[in-house]
Amino acid sequence: MNPSTWPRLLVVDVEGNGATPPDLVEIAVVPIDGGLARPEQAKCTLVRPPHPITRFATGVHHITNQDVIGAPTWESIAEAVQQDLDGAWIAAHNASVEYTVLGRHLPAWKPAGVVDTLRLARAALPDAPKHGLDALITYTGLDTSNIPGKRHRAAYDAHVTALLLLELARGYATWDDLIKAAVPPQMPGAPGPDHEEQPLW
């Protein structure tokens, strides 16, 4: 498959404050364009949440309440984020998280489709011992040495997920084949059931 023929696709990652439901504390978007991940075109920002970041959440992504004191609120950037996302497919690892969180923060937004690299990896690499992002980085031998930042930060995770998607896509002949494996049911972009023509009698 030639990824340069794909529709506009943005790999997204979000980090939350640990609340239920979570408030955003960081969001990153990395385009895939011309068949390549484009981190130089990435957009990433911290977000000051309305409620403090929990100690547990800080333990995962290492973003502290001090880090976000000077960050913009979601209300101040929501319109710009939606403009960036409008009309595009999104991709993420365990994409239901990003889709759900972004949908709650952007109630007027709906992506063209949702590619889940976790779902895709389970289909493409059934023999992998695990399908979490760290395990897949190791299993596929992805070179992450040039990715700035650290795991569990939005820009890093979006970049590595973009590379993983391109790697997994090698096993599919067409975009349609890819989305059949990668788009969860009932999510935007999911292919409909194949309808065989029924006889009249």
Side-chain angles (χ1 to χ4, degrees):
M1 185 196 324
N2 181 1
S4 66
T5 64
W6 290 2
R8 189 164 77 94
L9 189 147
L10 305 171
V11 182
V12 299
D13 189 83
V14 299
E15 303 297 336
N17 66 339
T20 304
D23 299 306
L24 289 175
V25 297
E26 190 174 41
I27 179 172
V29 177
V30 175
I32 291 181
D33 185 45
L36 298 171
R38 301 291 184 179
E40 72 279 4
Q41 299 175 17
K43 293 186 178 181
C44 181
T45 184
L46 290 170
V47 181
R48 187 170 79 251
H51 305 289
I53 303 170
T54 66
R55 185 177 299 178
F56 175 81
T58 293
V60 174
H61 49 51
H62 303 293
I63 301 169
T64 68
N65 288 296
Q66 185 69 28
D67 292 332
V68 298
I69 285 177
T73 63
W74 177 253
E75 289 74 19
S76 69
I77 64 170
E79 183 177 355
V81 172
Q82 182 163 332
Q83 286 177 357
D84 287 338
L85 296 179
D86 271 347
W89 282 70
I90 65 165
H93 200 69
N94 195 14
S96 62
V97 173
E98 274 70 19
Y99 177 61
T100 300
V101 171
L102 286 172
R104 187 167 58 84
H105 283 75
L106 297 170
W109 165 78
K110 184 178 179 181
V114 179
V115 171
D116 184 0
T117 53
L118 174 58
R119 182 180 177 88
L120 181 61
R122 286 172 173 161
L125 303 173
D127 296 330
K130 294 182 179 180
H131 294 93
L133 199 52
D134 290 313
L136 289 169
I137 291 169
T138 300
Y139 187 80
T140 59
L142 283 180
D143 181 7
T144 62
S145 59
N146 292 323
I147 301 179
K150 296 179 180 179
R151 270 283 282 126
H152 301 295
R153 291 298 301 267
Y156 183 100
D157 286 3
H159 189 168
V160 77
T161 299
L163 297 180
L164 176 64
L165 174 56
L166 291 167
E167 178 66 25
L168 296 174
R170 295 173 183 267
Y172 294 87
T174 67
W175 171 256
D176 287 344
D177 291 337
L178 179 75
I179 64 171
K180 285 178 184 178
V183 181
Q186 281 73 58
M187 281 200 181
D194 294 327
H195 296 292
E196 295 184 3
E197 188 170 336
Q198 298 297 317
L200 293 176
W201 307 102

